[in-house]
Amino acid sequence: MERVLARENIALARAAVGDRYVLEEMLRSGNVLGGEQSGHIIFLEDSPAGDGLLTASKIASLVSLHGKIESLVEGLKDYPQVIVNVKVRSKPPLETLPEVLPRLSRSPIRTWRQWPRPSFATSGTEQLARVMVEAEHESDVQRFSQSLANALRSTIGT
């Protein structure tokens, strides 16, 4: 999606994970369309909340106007992606973890998005660090995500 948007000269803004943060970024930047990988999409001109029925009706409308959905996503390439949850005992800033940072800077992956999120996320009562890696090749995704996850486990894992 990022590459298709760039090719069309459409700016992309990133926000922290969560509808609340997506909406805050949309309001700050003046964007009217926002969403998350999970499928939550916000059409700010219609509603400040992600609404599945609204999204479905928008897509149905696009299909009725422009034909098959395949033509709407032409040029969009899916990349393999994984999120690895690592149970942690603490949540220090990433820049304070010397075992993790070199793995980020020495990555062999050049066409990728990756991050252990800049702030650790919690899930229910468990403290989790989430490592997300996306790349062109599945082998790179698996190798690099496990390398980062292992570094987190060895430094702050439970």
Side-chain angles (χ1 to χ4, degrees):
M1 172 87 62
E2 188 171 342
R3 289 180 178 182
V4 171
L5 292 173
R7 191 169 53 239
E8 298 296 323
N9 291 322
I10 299 172
L12 173 73
R14 294 199 187 276
V17 174
D19 281 1
R20 168 186 167 194
Y21 301 110
V22 172
L23 178 60
E24 285 176 4
E25 176 58 30
M26 291 172 68
L27 294 170
R28 188 192 67 69
S29 62
N31 292 327
V32 296
L33 178 64
E36 294 188 280
Q37 180 182 350
S38 63
H40 294 129
I41 299 174
I42 299 172
F43 297 92
L44 196 53
E45 292 174 338
D46 298 302
S47 172
D51 182 326
L53 290 176
L54 177 60
T55 300
S57 67
K58 294 274 192 181
I59 291 173
S61 177
L62 284 171
V63 169
S64 72
L65 292 170
H66 301 287
K68 295 184 177 186
I69 199 162
E70 290 84 5
S71 66
L72 296 174
V73 295
E74 189 175 334
L76 186 65
K77 180 181 178 192
D78 281 335
Y79 285 86
Q81 182 182 99
V82 68
I83 296 176
V84 179
N85 290 326
V86 178
K87 290 183 181 181
V88 295
R89 63 181 175 276
S90 64
K91 300 184 292 181
L94 287 177
E95 58 274 7
T96 66
L97 301 175
E99 298 84 354
V100 175
L101 290 178
R103 285 175 169 78
L104 293 173
S105 63
R106 290 192 313 246
S107 167
I109 302 170
R110 291 295 168 245
T111 55
W112 61 307
R113 279 190 303 138
Q114 65 74 31
W115 63 90
R117 294 186 182 137
S119 60
F120 290 96
T122 57
S123 173
T125 58
E126 295 179 304
Q127 287 192 266
L128 297 175
R130 291 193 169 96
V131 175
M132 191 280 269
V133 175
E134 177 183 76
E136 284 189 82
H137 305 288
E138 180 70 28
S139 59
D140 288 335
V141 170
Q142 293 304 321
R143 186 180 72 251
F144 195 61
S145 63
Q146 289 307 313
S147 173
L148 284 170
N150 288 339
L152 286 168
R153 282 184 195 102
S154 70
T155 56
I156 57 173
T158 59

